[in-house]
């Protein structure tokens, strides 16, 4: 769990069990992987392009977190997301 | 910052709670605990499809069915300030406790009349009357 410490105050991409993709700054976490994300943006993938939905401050409970990944903001900024067409992720069913 | 610190700082403030099944609750946080169980007041519940709404006075939501909390941006800053204040207070409290114990004022007080009514423990004031003082005849 302490591996997440390196991401604090960095931009991360979080994928939830329901398939949502959320990008935000990691402000805190605890041993249950509950996360504080500030300036969150949800990326809604679809076949018409990616829609960015600003969400603000989120506190996500660890039960729903599937993936936390550090973002390379420079690389991410160079991607034209309006050109990217992809099916949204499905939800994870246990 | 710990997520629970943020949640505690959000008490009394408006927030949105989404459950794992997609149902959302909008209201003011009244109370929360370490399980992230929460009570909200003046609540608007929205169905998962977003088509039906209910208004209610107060709800209790069990922490383990919550997916996420959406909190006003400003609360992160106020939580941070509160945390710093608490840390500073804890620090000064620790210093005064360390300085107070075993200080010269307390040493040498042996033999004097026993302190009465002080909550320092050790004293016989609370025992049953008529016992333990003087030699029985």
């Amino acid at each position: 769990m302490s591996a997440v410490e390196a991401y604090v105050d960095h931009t991360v991409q979080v994928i939830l069990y329901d398939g949502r993709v959320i990008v935000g700054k990691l402000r805190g976490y605890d041993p249950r992987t509950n996360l504080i994300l500030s300036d969150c943006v949800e990326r809604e993938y679809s076949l018409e392009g990616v829609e960015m939905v600003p969400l603000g401050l989120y506190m996500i409970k660890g039960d729903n977190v599937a993936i936390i990944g550090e973002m390379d903001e420079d690389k991410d900024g160079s991607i034209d997301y309006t050109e990217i067409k992809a099916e949204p992720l499905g939800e994870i069913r246990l | 910052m710990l997520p629970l610190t943020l949640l505690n700082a959000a008490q009394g403030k408006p927030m949105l709670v989404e459950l794992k099944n997609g149902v959302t609750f909008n209201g003011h946080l009244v109370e929360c605990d370490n399980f992230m169980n929460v009570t909200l007041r003046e609540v608007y519940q929205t169905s998962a499809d977003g088509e039906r709404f209910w208004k209610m006075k107060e709800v209790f939501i069990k922490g383990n069915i919550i997916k996420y909390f959406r909190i006003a941006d400003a609360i992160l800053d106020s939580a941070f300030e509160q945390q710093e204040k608490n840390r500073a207070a804890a620090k000064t409290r620790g210093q005064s406790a360390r300085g107070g114990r075993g200080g010269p004022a307390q040493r040498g007080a042996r033999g004097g009349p026993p302190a009465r009514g002080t909550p320092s423990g050790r004293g016989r004031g609370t025992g049953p009357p008529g016992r333990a003082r003087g030699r029985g005849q």
Side-chain angles (χ1 to χ4, degrees):
Chain A
M1 187 54 220
S2 58
V4 180
E5 178 65 37
Y7 302 158
V8 171
D9 291 330
H10 287 76
T11 300
V12 293
Q13 183 173 67
V14 177
I15 301 179
L16 304 185
Y17 273 30
D18 62 5
R20 268 188 248 201
V21 179
I22 294 173
V23 177
K25 280 214 167 64
L26 183 67
R27 296 302 185 183
Y29 68 92
D30 67 14
R32 291 174 163 169
T33 338
N34 300 321
L35 306 174
I36 302 175
L37 295 177
S38 67
D39 307 304
C40 290
V41 177
E42 181 178 349
R43 296 189 170 172
E44 289 186 1
Y45 287 83
S46 71
L47 296 176
E48 280 94 59
V50 183
E51 194 182 340
M52 304 289 190
V53 185
L55 303 170
L57 178 62
Y58 261 45
M59 202 260 277
I60 303 172
K61 292 216 61 186
D63 327 1
N64 314 283
V65 176
I67 292 173
I68 310 167
E70 193 178 9
M71 294 272 285
D72 184 329
E73 287 185 73
D74 294 335
K75 254 186 197 158
D76 187 60
S78 69
I79 298 171
D80 181 5
Y81 277 98
T82 59
E83 287 299 306
I84 289 183
K85 293 169 175 58
E87 297 245 13
L89 290 171
E91 65 177 317
I92 296 171
R93 289 192 162 275
L94 296 176
Chain B
M1 181 188 306
L2 289 171
L4 272 169
T5 311
L6 179 68
L7 193 60
N8 280 315
Q11 288 193 27
K13 303 287 196 303
M15 63 162 55
L16 177 145
V17 179
E18 181 165 327
L19 306 190
K20 287 175 179 170
N21 63 9
V23 172
T24 63
F25 293 87
N26 262 296
H28 284 71
L29 179 63
V30 183
E31 214 177 2
C32 59
D33 65 15
N34 288 349
F35 295 114
M36 295 192 185
N37 300 325
V38 293
T39 29
L40 301 178
R41 276 240 172 91
E42 302 302 326
V43 187
Y44 288 93
Q45 178 183 348
T46 308
S47 62
D49 55 21
E51 286 186 4
R52 284 174 299 163
F53 304 89
W54 294 266
K55 185 181 187 309
M56 49 196 116
K57 199 102 199 118
E58 186 168 309
V59 289
F60 172 84
I61 306 170
K62 219 166 158 259
N64 66 342
I65 61 160
I66 294 170
K67 192 187 288 173
Y68 62 76
F69 301 90
R70 185 176 181 180
I71 305 170
D73 290 351
I75 293 171
L76 185 61
D77 299 324
S78 68
F80 196 75
E81 279 168 26
Q82 208 172 306
Q83 182 177 275
E84 293 303 303
K85 245 182 241 171
N86 289 348
R87 281 206 181 138
K91 212 173 178 185
T92 54
R93 225 181 298 135
Q95 275 166 357
S96 67
R98 227 172 297 141
R101 203 169 304 155
Q106 251 140 37
R107 217 179 290 160
R110 223 181 295 156
R116 278 200 169 249
T118 49
S120 59
R122 241 181 260 199
R124 297 212 181 136
T126 52
R131 275 269 201 164
R133 209 163 264 213
R135 283 161 214 240
Q137 287 160 2

